[in-house]
Amino acid sequence: MKPSTLEIHFDGHREAYQPGEILSGGYRFDMSETPDVVALEVSVLWHTEGKGDEDLSVHLFNRFDISSVGTHTPYHSGRFSTQLPNSPLSYEGVIVKIRWCVRIRVFDGRGKDIVAERPFRLGLVAPARAVLP
């Protein structure tokens, strides 16, 4: 499967949201290039990056069997929408970062998958600066 066949977009072409706002958008992939797709998952999640253990939490998770949604065109598309939580806010720290994204995973009949992510910011926390001695 080719990762370039999977696209994610946000309504209004936004990249930043406030807590409690509605995040909505859609996805699309080319079924003619991936004819053996059996399922897809849509997730809205956050994860940490940096020093120490990395954390991950899923805010929204939906899994669809392709046979249940029906496909009559070479392209399969869908939509997602969720009210965002109050926390954790996106953060660009020196030691740790908190990042939010929408993740789409498409599974083929052989158990392989392709993944696409579209990052977004939750809240308006200023990035941290390193303090030099």
Side-chain angles (χ1 to χ4, degrees):
M1 288 195 274
K2 298 178 182 176
S4 62
T5 62
L6 183 53
E7 301 170 1
I8 303 169
H9 72 271
F10 297 137
D11 292 343
H13 305 287
R14 296 178 62 185
E15 301 293 331
Y17 296 85
Q18 292 300 311
E21 278 194 292
I22 302 296
L23 167 74
S24 62
Y27 57 87
R28 174 181 149 144
F29 64 94
D30 187 345
M31 293 286 290
S32 65
E33 295 181 17
T34 56
D36 56 347
V37 169
V38 295
L40 67 92
E41 294 175 350
V42 178
S43 303
V44 176
L45 58 96
W46 63 266
H47 61 93
T48 60
E49 293 179 8
K51 293 185 178 178
D53 294 336
E54 293 190 0
D55 293 319
L56 179 141
S57 182
V58 177
H59 172 70
L60 171 75
F61 178 80
N62 288 316
R63 182 178 172 100
F64 304 97
D65 290 330
I66 292 298
S67 61
S68 69
V69 296
T71 55
H72 305 291
T73 67
Y75 294 98
H76 175 76
S77 62
R79 296 200 43 82
F80 55 86
S81 178
T82 186
Q83 183 174 13
L84 294 168
N86 291 329
S87 66
L89 301 178
S90 297
Y91 180 66
E92 291 289 324
V94 175
I95 297 173
V96 69
K97 298 173 181 12
I98 300 174
R99 300 220 164 124
W100 281 86
C101 70
V102 172
R103 178 182 291 166
I104 308 291
R105 294 179 72 189
V106 177
F107 297 89
D108 69 14
R110 298 169 293 168
K112 298 192 178 210
D113 66 346
I114 60 171
V115 179
E117 292 185 352
R118 181 83 186 241
F120 66 92
R121 291 188 55 81
L122 178 61
L124 295 173
V125 177
R129 295 183 312 174
V131 177
L132 302 175

